[in-house]
Amino acid sequence: VEDRAGNISEDFLLDVTIDSIPTSATISLLTSSDSGMFDNDNVTNIDQPAFTGTGEVGSAVRLFANGQLVGVAEVQSDASDGVNGDGRGLWEITSEPLDDGVYEFRAQVEDWAGNLANTPAITLEVDTLAPNTPQLDLLPADDSGLSDQDNVTMEGLPTFNMATLDPNTGTHLSPFNLKYRLFVRVD
């Protein structure tokens, strides 16, 4: 600073970092939160699913389900992603409790400079309602007993009808939402 008389103050240096480039971020459902028929079908009976991903170390992470904020975290240390020195780390968020339904999850990662990076979306179905007890019936053609309704047969490979109703009337990710299993118990 110079005043009117020509006096000049000492220099003051300020280091400023300009960072206008958001880094990429990833998201995935933890295998332990995918309780479906398969551990990769994104169908679960867990109403507080957990997600993980990567981002720039120290960044704030916000988890959204259908556009609503359902959890926050911070990207951990550089070594947490298994690659030391790359400036990236892991984050993990457990969602707030969710009602049954299909959700589109997305994480938003904000670095120290305020740059935002959005992850690709993950579609997940939360279904906490067990199906009704199925009806099980031996096909009349396979009921070879004295009556076609006594469930006594000489057939070695009898055929059965099974039916149930799904109490969860919401949308499902798969049209094949139910799987029947038939167990034989010898009395």
Side-chain angles (χ1 to χ4, degrees), residues 106-144:
R106 192 178 301 273
Q108 182 183 68
V109 179
E110 182 177 6
D111 68 14
W112 284 92
N115 298 306
L116 298 175
N118 292 310
T119 64
I122 291 179
T123 303
L124 176 72
E125 179 182 345
V126 175
D127 182 356
T128 62
L129 299 173
N132 294 326
T133 302
Q135 294 177 335
L136 175 64
D137 194 21
L138 181 65
L139 284 181
D142 284 353
D143 191 339
S144 64

Side-chain angles (χ1 to χ4, degrees), residues 11-26:
D11 296 11
F12 176 76
L13 298 177
L14 177 65
D15 288 330
V16 176
T17 301
I18 298 175
D19 177 2
S20 61
I21 302 171
T23 60
S24 63
T26 64

Side-chain angles (χ1 to χ4, degrees), residues 68-130:
Q68 299 296 313
L69 182 67
V70 294
V72 295
E74 183 177 305
V75 178
Q76 300 304 306
S77 70
D78 186 4
S80 65
D81 69 343
V83 182
N84 208 4
D86 67 350
R88 299 178 59 76
L90 289 177
W91 58 266
E92 185 176 315
I93 298 175
T94 299
S95 170
E96 294 177 2
L98 301 168
D99 293 331
D100 284 13
V102 175
Y103 295 89
E104 184 177 275
F105 285 90
R106 192 178 301 273
Q108 182 183 68
V109 179
E110 182 177 6
D111 68 14
W112 284 92
N115 298 306
L116 298 175
N118 292 310
T119 64
I122 291 179
T123 303
L124 176 72
E125 179 182 345
V126 175
D127 182 356
T128 62
L129 299 173

Side-chain angles (χ1 to χ4, degrees), residues 8-88:
I8 300 174
S9 69
E10 291 185 29
D11 296 11
F12 176 76
L13 298 177
L14 177 65
D15 288 330
V16 176
T17 301
I18 298 175
D19 177 2
S20 61
I21 302 171
T23 60
S24 63
T26 64
I27 184 174
S28 61
L29 179 67
L30 287 177
T31 304
S32 60
S33 285
D34 193 338
S35 68
M37 291 179 194
F38 307 99
D39 65 359
N40 63 353
D41 62 0
N42 287 358
V43 177
T44 186
N45 63 11
I46 298 169
D47 69 347
Q48 290 183 272
F51 296 84
T52 189
T54 60
E56 187 177 321
V57 171
S59 296
V61 183
R62 296 173 198 93
L63 179 66
F64 295 92
N66 292 346
Q68 299 296 313
L69 182 67
V70 294
V72 295
E74 183 177 305
V75 178
Q76 300 304 306
S77 70
D78 186 4
S80 65
D81 69 343
V83 182
N84 208 4
D86 67 350
R88 299 178 59 76

Side-chain angles (χ1 to χ4, degrees), residues 37 162 179-183:
M37 291 179 194
M162 291 183 269
K179 176 168 56 172
Y180 293 91
R181 294 181 182 140
L182 181 63
F183 296 92

